Amino acid sequence: MTTLTVADATLPPLAFRLPEGIHAIEVSLDPEERAQAARRLVRDVYPQGEERLWTTMGSLYSAMADELLADGVAFFGIGLYAIEDGGGVAHCALTLAVHERGDADPDVVAEGTRAALLADPLREVSWLDLPCGPAVYGITFRKLLVDGAYTTSGADEELVMGQIQVHIPFPADPYTAVLTLDTASVAQWEEFSHAMAEIIGSVDFTGVHRREVTH
């Protein structure tokens, strides 16, 4: 088990299971371990690739992990799922960040988080009672305009992005775990929602889970 620190404070254990199809890097690892994790991720994501691709993408993901760590993200994952009808691949990004908070009571923190998220009228917000304790989730869909230089048609196109973000207070410590799933594959939203439900339902702060990602 590795340790995760926020502002030089070592956090209590946090564990959860990742469903099949999501490949992750714990960015809280030391630099060399993080680089090795990036190389493993690339080989998982591109199993039919070649050494040149693995080396290039491994360096890219390692650099991304360094930037995410600087922003307080503990790990990031990439989810890839085959689309049954019509072929192709649906994809998502998953991150975990841990933030300090001013109160150690998880119910008080969850109530405050819920009130803050409700300030955005475009966000669907709900309270959750997870096995590990209270949590709050928010769902948003936003349209982005993609420049024609980056589209297959050559014209500007609208891209719909969906996000599921779940705030889970630690049960007895002044921290909150924030799990965020982003995807542009909104046609597969139901599948990603089920994957996120599986992840947050497995969150455990006792350190006794097995076959999980641990911090």
Side-chain angles (χ1 to χ4, degrees):
M1 177 179 294
T2 60
T3 57
L4 176 66
T5 60
V6 173
D8 297 324
T10 300
L11 302 182
L14 165 62
F16 56 92
R17 294 188 181 94
L18 286 177
E20 291 293 329
I22 293 184
H23 312 274
I25 295 178
E26 294 183 57
V27 298
S28 58
L29 300 172
D30 67 42
E32 179 55 32
E33 290 177 322
R34 195 159 59 241
Q36 292 177 5
R39 290 192 287 269
R40 289 195 299 270
L41 173 66
V42 168
R43 290 175 181 268
D44 286 342
V45 173
Y46 305 102
Q48 306 301 320
E50 298 178 352
E51 192 63 40
R52 179 189 294 182
L53 173 65
W54 290 334
T55 299
T56 301
M57 296 305 295
S59 298
L60 174 62
Y61 286 148
S62 182
M64 288 174 59
D66 291 342
E67 293 181 7
L68 289 169
L69 178 63
D71 291 336
V73 173
F75 87 86
F76 79 93
I78 297 173
L80 298 173
Y81 298 90
I83 300 174
E84 294 182 2
D85 298 327
V89 176
H91 59 86
C92 69
L94 177 72
T95 61
L96 165 70
V98 178
H99 304 297
E100 292 186 86
R101 63 185 199 238
D103 198 302
D105 187 317
D107 289 293
V108 172
V109 173
E111 287 285 5
T113 300
R114 181 175 180 275
L117 294 180
L118 283 171
D120 183 352
L122 299 179
R123 181 182 286 123
E124 175 189 337
V125 180
S126 292
W127 180 280
L128 293 172
D129 288 308
L130 299 175
C132 65
V136 177
Y137 80 81
I139 293 177
T140 55
F141 291 96
R142 301 190 186 279
K143 289 183 179 180
L144 304 176
L145 186 63
V146 180
D147 190 287
Y150 303 99
T151 66
T152 55
S153 67
D156 292 352
E157 295 182 6
E158 282 191 344
L159 177 68
V160 178
M161 292 290 299
Q163 181 185 88
I164 305 172
Q165 188 172 78
V166 185
H167 299 250
I168 309 174
F170 279 62
D173 299 275
Y175 301 101
T176 297
V178 182
L179 281 156
T180 305
L181 185 149
D182 291 288
T183 183
S185 303
V186 293
Q188 286 71 43
W189 182 257
E190 184 175 354
E191 289 87 340
F192 287 129
S193 296
H194 287 315
M196 192 61 158
E198 182 179 341
I199 293 168
I200 63 175
S202 70
V203 171
D204 179 74
F205 294 101
T206 67
V208 298
H209 266 34
R210 294 182 295 274
R211 296 178 63 193
E212 76 285 79
V213 173
T214 57
H215 302 283

